[in-house]
Amino acid sequence: MFESAPQPGTFKGRVLFVVRKVPPGRVATYKSVAALAGHPNAWRAVGTILKHCRRTSVPCHRVVNSDGRVGKYSDPLVKRELLRFEGVQVAKDRIKNFDQLRWPDLP
DNA sequence: ATTTTGACCGTGC
DNA sequence: CGCACGGCCAAAA
């Protein structure tokens, strides 16, 4: 029921820690999360990890694809709704103003 | 332990 | 816009 706290030292733990920091109304990419977690090329693994992560502990709905598409979810419809509820506008599986909503901020 | 799969990314046609 | 390939990492088979 209660998820264990992110274990620092494991890649998984750092990934969850990073995703937790994503502010509401903003979105992060799998690639960025991987980079912040210390493995710049492990974006694919990030997807695998977030899949295991069920709602409630981590806002995994704020992690999207690099090209601005919303990406998969246990229930894609729910993901769009959650984002929309936080003020993120989505049209055709695409995030509007993607570069501006990205977190961390684009250089 | 080895092989396959996948909530991905980038390039190319 | 669409589709095909290659690449990388962790989890599942």
mmCIF file of all heavy atoms in Angstrom, chain A residues 43-44 50-51 66 72, chain B residues 5-10:
data_model
loop_
_atom_site.group_PDB
_atom_site.id
_atom_site.type_symbol
_atom_site.label_atom_id
_atom_site.label_comp_id
_atom_site.label_asym_id
_atom_site.label_seq_id
_atom_site.Cartn_x
_atom_site.Cartn_y
_atom_site.Cartn_z
ATOM 1 N N TRP A 43 17.003 6.493 -20.976
ATOM 2 C CA TRP A 43 15.592 6.941 -21.090
ATOM 3 C C TRP A 43 14.653 5.771 -21.228
ATOM 4 O O TRP A 43 13.536 5.787 -20.727
ATOM 5 C CB TRP A 43 15.384 7.868 -22.280
ATOM 6 C CG TRP A 43 16.540 8.072 -23.164
ATOM 7 C CD1 TRP A 43 17.489 9.043 -23.035
ATOM 8 C CD2 TRP A 43 16.921 7.285 -24.296
ATOM 9 N NE1 TRP A 43 18.409 8.910 -24.033
ATOM 10 C CE2 TRP A 43 18.097 7.849 -24.820
ATOM 11 C CE3 TRP A 43 16.377 6.162 -24.924
ATOM 12 C CZ2 TRP A 43 18.741 7.338 -25.939
ATOM 13 C CZ3 TRP A 43 17.014 5.658 -26.039
ATOM 14 C CH2 TRP A 43 18.178 6.243 -26.526
ATOM 15 N N ARG A 44 15.115 4.746 -21.931
ATOM 16 C CA ARG A 44 14.242 3.601 -22.139
ATOM 17 C C ARG A 44 13.966 2.903 -20.814
ATOM 18 O O ARG A 44 12.864 2.483 -20.512
ATOM 19 C CB ARG A 44 14.900 2.623 -23.102
ATOM 20 C CG ARG A 44 13.930 1.673 -23.665
ATOM 21 C CD ARG A 44 14.073 1.584 -25.161
ATOM 22 N NE ARG A 44 12.899 0.972 -25.702
ATOM 23 C CZ ARG A 44 12.843 0.426 -26.895
ATOM 24 N NH1 ARG A 44 13.883 0.429 -27.655
ATOM 25 N NH2 ARG A 44 11.736 -0.078 -27.315
ATOM 26 N N LEU A 50 8.976 3.691 -14.599
ATOM 27 C CA LEU A 50 7.742 4.430 -14.332
ATOM 28 C C LEU A 50 6.516 3.557 -14.531
ATOM 29 O O LEU A 50 5.470 3.783 -13.961
ATOM 30 C CB LEU A 50 7.658 5.664 -15.224
ATOM 31 C CG LEU A 50 8.635 6.772 -14.857
ATOM 32 C CD1 LEU A 50 8.319 8.013 -15.648
ATOM 33 C CD2 LEU A 50 8.566 7.068 -13.369
ATOM 34 N N LYS A 51 6.667 2.557 -15.347
ATOM 35 C CA LYS A 51 5.567 1.632 -15.572
ATOM 36 C C LYS A 51 5.250 0.866 -14.286
ATOM 37 O O LYS A 51 4.098 0.687 -13.923
ATOM 38 C CB LYS A 51 5.972 0.675 -16.684
ATOM 39 C CG LYS A 51 5.099 -0.502 -16.865
ATOM 40 C CD LYS A 51 5.685 -1.274 -18.020
ATOM 41 C CE LYS A 51 5.159 -2.672 -18.090
ATOM 42 N NZ LYS A 51 5.934 -3.401 -19.100
ATOM 43 N N SER A 66 9.937 13.114 -25.811
ATOM 44 C CA SER A 66 10.805 14.241 -26.154
ATOM 45 C C SER A 66 10.249 15.104 -27.269
ATOM 46 O O SER A 66 10.567 16.273 -27.356
ATOM 47 C CB SER A 66 12.181 13.735 -26.577
ATOM 48 O OG SER A 66 13.012 13.610 -25.460
ATOM 49 N N LYS A 72 2.715 7.003 -23.480
ATOM 50 C CA LYS A 72 1.832 5.967 -22.941
ATOM 51 C C LYS A 72 1.562 6.162 -21.456
ATOM 52 O O LYS A 72 2.175 6.984 -20.796
ATOM 53 C CB LYS A 72 2.447 4.597 -23.185
ATOM 54 C CG LYS A 72 2.376 4.153 -24.622
ATOM 55 C CD LYS A 72 2.555 2.656 -24.661
ATOM 56 C CE LYS A 72 2.380 2.093 -26.050
ATOM 57 N NZ LYS A 72 2.589 0.642 -26.014
ATOM 58 P P DT B 5 10.148 -10.850 -28.046
ATOM 59 O OP1 DT B 5 8.903 -11.593 -28.340
ATOM 60 O OP2 DT B 5 10.977 -10.300 -29.131
ATOM 61 O "O5'" DT B 5 9.775 -9.694 -27.016
ATOM 62 C "C5'" DT B 5 9.325 -10.061 -25.724
ATOM 63 C "C4'" DT B 5 9.101 -8.830 -24.864
ATOM 64 O "O4'" DT B 5 10.339 -8.362 -24.317
ATOM 65 C "C3'" DT B 5 8.475 -7.634 -25.596
ATOM 66 O "O3'" DT B 5 7.455 -7.111 -24.780
ATOM 67 C "C2'" DT B 5 9.633 -6.663 -25.741
ATOM 68 C "C1'" DT B 5 10.446 -6.967 -24.502
ATOM 69 N N1 DT B 5 11.880 -6.638 -24.548
ATOM 70 C C2 DT B 5 12.453 -6.019 -23.449
ATOM 71 O O2 DT B 5 11.816 -5.696 -22.474
ATOM 72 N N3 DT B 5 13.794 -5.800 -23.550
ATOM 73 C C4 DT B 5 14.619 -6.124 -24.605
ATOM 74 O O4 DT B 5 15.809 -5.888 -24.563
ATOM 75 C C5 DT B 5 13.958 -6.771 -25.727
ATOM 76 C C7 DT B 5 14.758 -7.164 -26.916
ATOM 77 C C6 DT B 5 12.634 -6.998 -25.639
ATOM 78 P P DG B 6 6.336 -6.169 -25.411
ATOM 79 O OP1 DG B 6 5.018 -6.514 -24.862
ATOM 80 O OP2 DG B 6 6.531 -6.081 -26.872
ATOM 81 O "O5'" DG B 6 6.764 -4.750 -24.792
ATOM 82 C "C5'" DG B 6 6.715 -4.560 -23.380
ATOM 83 C "C4'" DG B 6 7.369 -3.242 -23.007
ATOM 84 O "O4'" DG B 6 8.791 -3.361 -23.177
ATOM 85 C "C3'" DG B 6 6.913 -2.048 -23.870
ATOM 86 O "O3'" DG B 6 6.582 -0.945 -23.027
ATOM 87 C "C2'" DG B 6 8.147 -1.736 -24.708
ATOM 88 C "C1'" DG B 6 9.263 -2.183 -23.798
ATOM 89 N N9 DG B 6 10.519 -2.487 -24.469
ATOM 90 C C8 DG B 6 10.696 -3.131 -25.662
ATOM 91 N N7 DG B 6 11.955 -3.259 -26.000
ATOM 92 C C5 DG B 6 12.651 -2.657 -24.958
ATOM 93 C C6 DG B 6 14.038 -2.489 -24.754
ATOM 94 O O6 DG B 6 14.971 -2.843 -25.473
ATOM 95 N N1 DG B 6 14.310 -1.817 -23.560
ATOM 96 C C2 DG B 6 13.368 -1.377 -22.677
ATOM 97 N N2 DG B 6 13.807 -0.767 -21.592
ATOM 98 N N3 DG B 6 12.057 -1.534 -22.863
ATOM 99 C C4 DG B 6 11.778 -2.181 -24.011
ATOM 100 P P DA B 7 4.999 -0.653 -22.775
ATOM 101 O OP1 DA B 7 4.550 -1.361 -21.606
ATOM 102 O OP2 DA B 7 4.352 -0.941 -24.081
ATOM 103 O "O5'" DA B 7 4.907 0.875 -22.411
ATOM 104 C "C5'" DA B 7 5.151 1.832 -23.381
ATOM 105 C "C4'" DA B 7 5.190 3.197 -22.766
ATOM 106 O "O4'" DA B 7 4.378 3.334 -21.595
ATOM 107 C "C3'" DA B 7 6.592 3.636 -22.384
ATOM 108 O "O3'" DA B 7 6.790 4.926 -22.896
ATOM 109 C "C2'" DA B 7 6.587 3.625 -20.869
ATOM 110 C "C1'" DA B 7 5.139 4.061 -20.603
ATOM 111 N N9 DA B 7 4.677 3.692 -19.274
ATOM 112 C C8 DA B 7 4.546 2.439 -18.742
ATOM 113 N N7 DA B 7 4.070 2.428 -17.528
ATOM 114 C C5 DA B 7 3.860 3.777 -17.240
ATOM 115 C C6 DA B 7 3.372 4.441 -16.114
ATOM 116 N N6 DA B 7 2.965 3.812 -15.022
ATOM 117 N N1 DA B 7 3.316 5.788 -16.158
ATOM 118 C C2 DA B 7 3.718 6.410 -17.261
ATOM 119 N N3 DA B 7 4.197 5.892 -18.397
ATOM 120 C C4 DA B 7 4.241 4.562 -18.318
ATOM 121 P P DC B 8 7.029 5.088 -24.521
ATOM 122 O OP1 DC B 8 6.189 6.155 -24.927
ATOM 123 O OP2 DC B 8 7.027 3.793 -25.224
ATOM 124 O "O5'" DC B 8 8.528 5.605 -24.522
ATOM 125 C "C5'" DC B 8 9.181 6.004 -23.321
ATOM 126 C "C4'" DC B 8 10.571 6.482 -23.692
ATOM 127 O "O4'" DC B 8 11.284 5.358 -24.245
ATOM 128 C "C3'" DC B 8 10.554 7.578 -24.760
ATOM 129 O "O3'" DC B 8 11.410 8.640 -24.376
ATOM 130 C "C2'" DC B 8 11.077 6.886 -26.002
ATOM 131 C "C1'" DC B 8 11.923 5.773 -25.432
ATOM 132 N N1 DC B 8 12.029 4.648 -26.377
ATOM 133 C C2 DC B 8 13.254 4.426 -27.001
ATOM 134 O O2 DC B 8 14.202 5.152 -26.739
ATOM 135 N N3 DC B 8 13.352 3.419 -27.891
ATOM 136 C C4 DC B 8 12.297 2.656 -28.153
ATOM 137 N N4 DC B 8 12.444 1.673 -29.031
ATOM 138 C C5 DC B 8 11.041 2.855 -27.518
ATOM 139 C C6 DC B 8 10.948 3.858 -26.645
ATOM 140 P P DC B 9 11.373 9.979 -25.239
ATOM 141 O OP1 DC B 9 11.642 11.095 -24.330
ATOM 142 O OP2 DC B 9 10.160 9.961 -26.068
ATOM 143 O "O5'" DC B 9 12.647 9.785 -26.164
ATOM 144 C "C5'" DC B 9 13.940 9.817 -25.574
ATOM 145 C "C4'" DC B 9 15.003 9.820 -26.649
ATOM 146 O "O4'" DC B 9 15.001 8.551 -27.306
ATOM 147 C "C3'" DC B 9 14.811 10.885 -27.733
ATOM 148 O "O3'" DC B 9 16.001 11.635 -27.884
ATOM 149 C "C2'" DC B 9 14.485 10.083 -28.978
ATOM 150 C "C1'" DC B 9 15.134 8.749 -28.698
ATOM 151 N N1 DC B 9 14.472 7.609 -29.366
ATOM 152 C C2 DC B 9 15.227 6.800 -30.223
ATOM 153 O O2 DC B 9 16.420 7.056 -30.392
ATOM 154 N N3 DC B 9 14.622 5.756 -30.832
ATOM 155 C C4 DC B 9 13.337 5.497 -30.617
ATOM 156 N N4 DC B 9 12.799 4.442 -31.238
ATOM 157 C C5 DC B 9 12.556 6.304 -29.751
ATOM 158 C C6 DC B 9 13.153 7.349 -29.142
ATOM 159 P P DG B 10 16.044 12.985 -28.748
ATOM 160 O OP1 DG B 10 16.967 13.932 -28.103
ATOM 161 O OP2 DG B 10 14.646 13.366 -29.020
ATOM 162 O "O5'" DG B 10 16.709 12.497 -30.116
ATOM 163 C "C5'" DG B 10 18.007 11.929 -30.078
ATOM 164 C "C4'" DG B 10 18.346 11.375 -31.447
ATOM 165 O "O4'" DG B 10 17.554 10.208 -31.695
ATOM 166 C "C3'" DG B 10 18.044 12.368 -32.564
ATOM 167 O "O3'" DG B 10 19.254 12.647 -33.260
ATOM 168 C "C2'" DG B 10 17.020 11.662 -33.442
ATOM 169 C "C1'" DG B 10 17.140 10.211 -33.047
ATOM 170 N N9 DG B 10 15.878 9.486 -33.098
ATOM 171 C C8 DG B 10 14.673 9.833 -32.557
ATOM 172 N N7 DG B 10 13.724 8.956 -32.757
ATOM 173 C C5 DG B 10 14.354 7.959 -33.495
ATOM 174 C C6 DG B 10 13.841 6.743 -34.010
ATOM 175 O O6 DG B 10 12.695 6.295 -33.919
ATOM 176 N N1 DG B 10 14.813 6.021 -34.691
ATOM 177 C C2 DG B 10 16.118 6.426 -34.852
ATOM 178 N N2 DG B 10 16.914 5.608 -35.536
ATOM 179 N N3 DG B 10 16.608 7.552 -34.370
ATOM 180 C C4 DG B 10 15.677 8.272 -33.706
#
